[in-house]
Amino acid sequence: LRYPEDISSNVDVELALTGRVASPTLSGTVTVKSARWEGDLDSSGTFLNLTRAFTSENPPPPPATPAGPPLPVQFDLRLVVPGTFEVDGPTLQAQLSVDVTLRGTYDRPLLFGQGEVDRGIVNFEGRRYIVTRGRLDFTNPTRIDPFFDIEAETNVRQPGQTYRVSLRAAGTRDALAVEFSSDPPLPEVDVIATAPTT
């Protein structure tokens, strides 16, 4: 697949459509054998589009006849990314694992499950941070809106002292809080202003 834009992936898909015509269920498993995204982080949620590519958020063109009610399909699909999704952009380089279930209906899809950053590097304010922990939780029962919890660290120095600076970003896409800390301790304003280690 070459969808969404900037993502190239190789997937195995096993699907079954069962039930009454008036209320069928689409079930099965989508396994991402390999995927690569060469882009940058932004608010468009490109990573989420990898999962949305298999949902009704990208429906086919409408038929020539007047549209009727939404397709009455219930979803019970598992999306498995076993460490096979690579992100290669100027802000983030990472390898991700994801195991989520697509529920809901054709017009209101929902995701439940989690993702992990297996390894990664974040470039932020001229510094190179190594990701020490990264998690995405899909728990919102009303829309696809993951909760991010990512920690990364780097070494910076001032005259006579090297500091380990940690960055934590937690929250949803629209409400992401970023915190800094250091060891030995420094005021946050000094942490941000400290020059990177060469």
Side-chain angles (χ1 to χ4, degrees):
L1 299 176
R2 292 194 176 273
Y3 184 85
E5 186 178 358
D6 298 328
I7 292 181
S8 177
S9 58
N10 184 354
V11 302
D12 278 343
V13 182
E14 295 185 10
L15 302 178
L17 186 65
T18 59
R20 299 173 61 87
V21 173
S23 57
T25 296
L26 183 65
S27 60
T29 301
V30 178
T31 302
V32 178
K33 299 174 65 177
S34 64
R36 184 178 179 86
W37 174 40
E38 296 180 359
D40 203 4
L41 297 178
D42 55 36
S43 60
S44 64
T46 305
F47 172 68
L48 291 182
N49 288 339
L50 180 65
T51 59
R52 290 174 177 169
F54 305 103
T55 75
S56 65
E57 293 190 19
N58 298 286
T65 56
L71 203 63
V73 175
Q74 297 281 334
F75 290 121
D76 184 16
L77 287 173
R78 185 182 178 199
L79 174 66
V80 181
V81 185
T84 53
F85 183 38
E86 295 182 4
V87 178
D88 186 11
T91 304
L92 175 67
Q93 298 91 48
Q95 185 168 336
L96 307 178
S97 299
V98 180
D99 192 339
V100 293
T101 300
L102 175 65
R103 305 278 190 185
T105 61
Y106 183 85
D107 58 330
R108 291 192 60 188
L110 298 170
L111 278 180
F112 298 97
Q114 66 183 43
E116 299 279 347
V117 180
D118 297 329
R119 62 176 182 267
I121 296 170
V122 177
N123 297 300
F124 182 76
E125 297 294 332
R127 297 196 183 100
R128 185 174 180 266
Y129 289 81
I130 303 299
V131 176
T132 56
R133 184 175 65 85
R135 184 181 175 100
L136 301 83
D137 287 305
F138 296 84
T139 58
N140 193 320
T142 61
R143 62 178 180 148
I144 299 176
D145 187 24
F147 184 92
F148 297 88
D149 190 356
I150 299 173
E151 293 182 0
E153 64 181 33
T154 190
N155 290 326
V156 299
R157 68 184 177 195
Q158 289 183 339
Q161 180 70 61
T162 298
Y163 296 86
R164 176 173 293 177
V165 175
S166 298
L167 175 155
R168 184 185 181 199
T172 61
R173 231 179 354 165
D174 298 328
L176 194 64
V178 178
E179 299 176 353
F180 290 89
S181 61
S182 71
D183 182 23
L186 275 173
E188 184 165 307
V189 64
D190 292 336
V191 171
I192 298 172
T194 304
T197 299
T198 55

